[in-house]
Amino acid sequence: MKHTLTSVAALCLTASAVQAGGIDRSGQSIGVIYKPGSYAELSFGSVMPEVSGTQLVNIGLSSAGADSGETITPYQQFSGALKHDYSDRFSVALIFDQPFGAGIEYDAGTGYFAGGASAEFESSALTSVARYKFNDAFSVHGGLRYQRISAEAFIPYITLPAGPLAGTPYDVVGEKDDGWGYLVGAAYERPDIALRVALTYNSKISHSLDINESSALGLGVSSSTDIDTPESVNLEFQTGIAADTLLFGSVRWVNWSEFDISPAEYKTLTGLLAGDAGSALVEYESDRISYSLGVGRRFNENWAGSVTVGYEPQNGDFASNLGPVDGYWSLGVGASYTKDNIEISGGVRYVWVGDAETDVGPFAPAASFEDNSAIGVGFKIGVTF
């Protein structure tokens, strides 16, 4: 069963970097800390979304019925980890991942109100995790996370209808910024049945991006914008259910309702257009909870496989035009080949993206996004030494 633990449970995350609630991507798992002995791994994932929508109302010169074209851009995910046992009770891991991200690009010339708009949010994080085992059943873990983010957006439909700079599109570029956070948690295990339940809290990380905005209100306005990537809680579990067969899964809560990107010029401009206090460039009304459940099976000394189902419920809120999705269902399959101290795994995941509606100014809903999907593929190589 120990071979099953090391060869199958890791497949839960293979090819899992598919757009989830907010701008969640990696899931911030620390499962590598439970690998036996000294261990290193590298992972690569590629996600190919197919997300498009239809305009519902006339907005300016853009008419109802216009097709948005493909919106969310394909992206890749990289991660790596190094773990070492300093004793039979104390171990440390160093994890690199890309926890949050977004990329969207609307084709110009489609007649869609957001044609030509684009936005990108990038992040990378380096996490140091230490684990202490009180005995074979109970352990605690904690650590620090260093994170770097950057963001930019070009939104031509946010402009003034009159004035010396009328028609000037809104554009913002944010410089890279660093921040620190922490994580803490505990786990319960029963090695005889391959049972493990681990709970981890990830703190928010505060950033202050130096930005430059240009819009119909002026050109080259420099300021700073505060962004807090959200706190979250991960519950990860696994248990043996038969010889060489493992049941595994996770529950992840993310505090997206506290996430907000509000550049000063953008808020002022949208306030003038709507006659109110203005709106955020990106914000979410509700938190998100995502679930996964899978079964892994060892076929022989070398080969193992898994099937995983993922789910994130729709919340019914208006989605951002810079991320027009609302929940998902997913189905993933993976396989692992182990030879001596080397393990190679791969998988594919198909995602049924939840239908969403977006709003813009007084137009609610402004567009509908239905029957969309994404495919993610992932590969991992791990070495025990």
Side-chain angles (χ1 to χ4, degrees), residues 184-263:
V184 63
Y188 172 75
E189 296 178 89
R190 276 193 57 186
D192 58 320
I193 58 171
L195 171 68
R196 181 173 68 240
V197 180
L199 185 68
T200 303
Y201 169 80
N202 302 288
S203 75
K204 72 176 183 180
I205 299 181
S206 297
H207 296 269
S208 182
L209 271 66
D210 292 329
I211 64 170
N212 186 276
E213 297 175 270
S214 62
S215 72
L217 295 178
L219 298 174
V221 178
S222 298
S223 62
S224 63
T225 294
D226 294 333
I227 300 175
D228 292 340
T229 56
E231 63 180 347
S232 62
V233 175
N234 285 4
L235 176 66
E236 298 172 284
F237 59 89
Q238 63 178 47
T239 184
I241 55 175
D244 295 328
T245 305
L246 191 73
L247 178 72
F248 58 85
S250 66
V251 180
R252 175 169 166 83
W253 167 83
V254 186
N255 189 20
W256 283 114
S257 60
E258 296 297 319
F259 181 79
D260 180 279
I261 302 179
S262 297

Side-chain angles (χ1 to χ4, degrees), residues 151-190:
E152 60 182 66
F154 177 75
I155 310 178
Y157 62 89
I158 299 297
T159 186
L160 292 176
L165 295 177
T168 301
Y170 176 81
D171 183 71
V172 60
V173 176
E175 301 295 330
K176 292 181 179 179
D177 184 76
D178 305 330
W180 288 87
Y182 66 91
L183 60 96
V184 63
Y188 172 75
E189 296 178 89
R190 276 193 57 186

Side-chain angles (χ1 to χ4, degrees), residues 22-67:
I23 52 174
D24 213 348
R25 283 191 175 171
S26 77
Q28 298 179 303
S29 173
I30 61 165
V32 69
I33 196 69
Y34 300 102
K35 285 284 188 178
S38 296
Y39 174 81
E41 68 176 34
L42 290 174
S43 301
F44 169 79
S46 180
V47 179
M48 295 148 283
E50 293 187 359
V51 177
S52 62
T54 303
Q55 189 170 318
L56 299 177
V57 295
N58 297 332
I59 302 176
L61 300 177
S62 182
S63 300
D67 192 332

Side-chain angles (χ1 to χ4, degrees), residues 15 24 65 95 121 124 128 141 168 172 177 180 239 252 258 306 333 345 349 368 384:
D24 213 348
I95 303 168
F121 186 98
S124 59
S128 177
H141 56 268
T168 301
V172 60
D177 184 76
W180 288 87
T239 184
R252 175 169 166 83
E258 296 297 319
S306 69
V333 294
S345 58
R349 188 181 186 195
S368 177
T384 302

